Amino acid sequence: MPWGGHIVGPMSDSATYLRALLEWQVELGATEAICDAPLNRFEAPAAPVSLTRPASTAPSPSGGAAAIVMQPHDGPDPVAQARTAAAQADDLAELRAAMAAFDGCELKKGARNLVFADGIPGAPVMIIGDSPGRNEDAAGKPFIGQAGQLLDRMFAAIGMGREMAGSPIYITNILPWQPPGNRDPEPEEIAMMMPFVERHIELVAPKVLVAMGNVSCLALLGKKGITRLRGTWDTALGLPVLPMFHPAYLLRNPAAKRDAWHDLLQLQAKLRG
Ligand code: URA
């Protein structure tokens, strides 16, 4: 049945057709059914904040995308606001609260939940993805969809897991809110959330970071091109960083799982060494 065509006859109300219509909406980025009582998530906030404010000039300690200089604009600087809020967080609970209270990023308005982290704080490996998808947005937990399940299987293969006693991992994202329609994060969004990511890393204090995919590499290392970067140790915030293919990429390109396995073995060797 062609999409968007005028439907006449019994097919128009068949379960198959209705299901196809629903799937089409999901493809377009719809994340929930509309209820009887309307909910205006885009109601004007007291002080709307644009994504194009001037960044503070101090370079980001990670040297990554937080060093992006945004266009001059009147009003508060969300990067400076984020930096102040993040610096005041003395532990992970305070950091989570500071992120939940941060109104500088428009993505918050369209998200159902703040997706903070999963796993054990203090784990030797901290995995950093890009941004939550639909499942993560609904549950408030990172990497629980298909890509997350693959991530779990990948780490289980080297004896590690979110809650695994003795070899836990800790998982978070560069952005805590789902971008609409799962689009890539904008540089300004990355820049304004980086102070929180950097504080997050300090508080978790892992031995190594895994940068999952291009967005994470750009944010942490200021570098693009995961195919070239993957498997080669780098440094951010004084910690070793291993860029790896994002599991969503591996789902689309199963042949690259071979490279991912090589990278997992490198990670294992680093932790043992
Ligand atoms: N992809 C990510 O980068 N993070 C998630 O939490 C889910 C999918």
Side-chain angles (χ1 to χ4, degrees):
M1 174 63 58
W3 298 115
H6 191 71
I7 315 295
V8 194
M11 182 61 176
S12 60
D13 57 6
S14 75
T16 311
Y17 172 65
L18 292 175
R19 186 186 168 88
L21 263 189
L22 192 58
E23 283 170 358
W24 175 237
Q25 294 294 324
V26 171
E27 273 297 304
L28 290 177
T31 53
E32 65 185 273
I34 306 294
C35 308
D36 290 342
L39 172 63
N40 185 359
R41 293 185 192 277
F42 293 94
E43 217 153 42
V49 179
S50 148
L51 292 178
T52 52
R53 307 234 184 271
S56 107
T57 47
S60 142
S62 69
I68 291 165
V69 176
M70 293 189 275
Q71 294 305 308
H73 198 288
D74 291 339
D77 169 0
V79 178
Q81 287 180 324
R83 201 167 289 151
T84 306
Q88 286 168 354
D90 287 334
D91 56 33
L92 290 170
E94 284 184 19
L95 183 69
R96 185 191 191 122
M99 288 166 71
F102 180 66
D103 286 329
C105 183
E106 296 286 315
L107 295 177
K108 180 179 168 182
K109 293 184 193 145
R112 289 200 223 181
N113 283 300
L114 172 94
V115 178
F116 184 68
D118 197 17
I120 308 283
V125 178
M126 181 165 177
I127 297 165
I128 307 192
D130 48 75
S131 52
R134 189 161 54 98
N135 296 305
E136 291 79 15
D137 176 53
K141 237 178 173 193
F143 281 104
I144 57 161
Q146 261 194 305
Q149 288 160 27
L150 176 57
L151 182 148
D152 285 338
R153 289 198 297 277
M154 286 162 62
F155 280 84
I158 54 164
M160 304 193 83
R162 301 183 195 222
E163 310 279 329
M164 203 169 284
S167 32
I169 55 177
Y170 186 89
I171 308 176
T172 190
N173 284 307
I174 298 295
L175 298 186
W177 297 294
Q178 185 195 15
N182 270 347
R183 67 156 167 76
D184 278 348
E186 299 287 348
E188 289 84 0
E189 292 161 351
I190 297 175
M192 71 177 74
M193 297 315 293
M194 274 314 281
F196 293 112
V197 175
E198 287 165 1
R199 186 74 187 125
H200 206 156
I201 294 169
E202 279 170 7
L203 290 169
V204 172
K207 284 198 180 122
V208 302
L209 299 172
V210 173
M212 281 290 186
N214 262 320
V215 170
S216 185
C217 287
L218 179 64
L220 291 168
L221 305 170
K223 295 177 187 170
K224 275 190 191 168
I226 189 64
T227 308
R228 187 175 37 87
L229 296 173
R230 62 140 282 274
T232 303
W233 288 96
D234 210 319
T235 309
L237 296 160
L239 290 172
V241 182
L242 183 63
M244 283 186 64
F245 282 135
H246 194 288
Y249 174 84
L250 296 176
L251 287 172
R252 294 190 303 271
N253 300 277
K257 285 184 183 169
R258 197 186 136 127
D259 291 331
W261 176 239
H262 168 269
D263 300 347
L264 286 167
L265 292 179
Q266 276 218 58
L267 176 65
Q268 191 178 46
K270 181 89 162 181
L271 294 171
R272 285 182 178 161

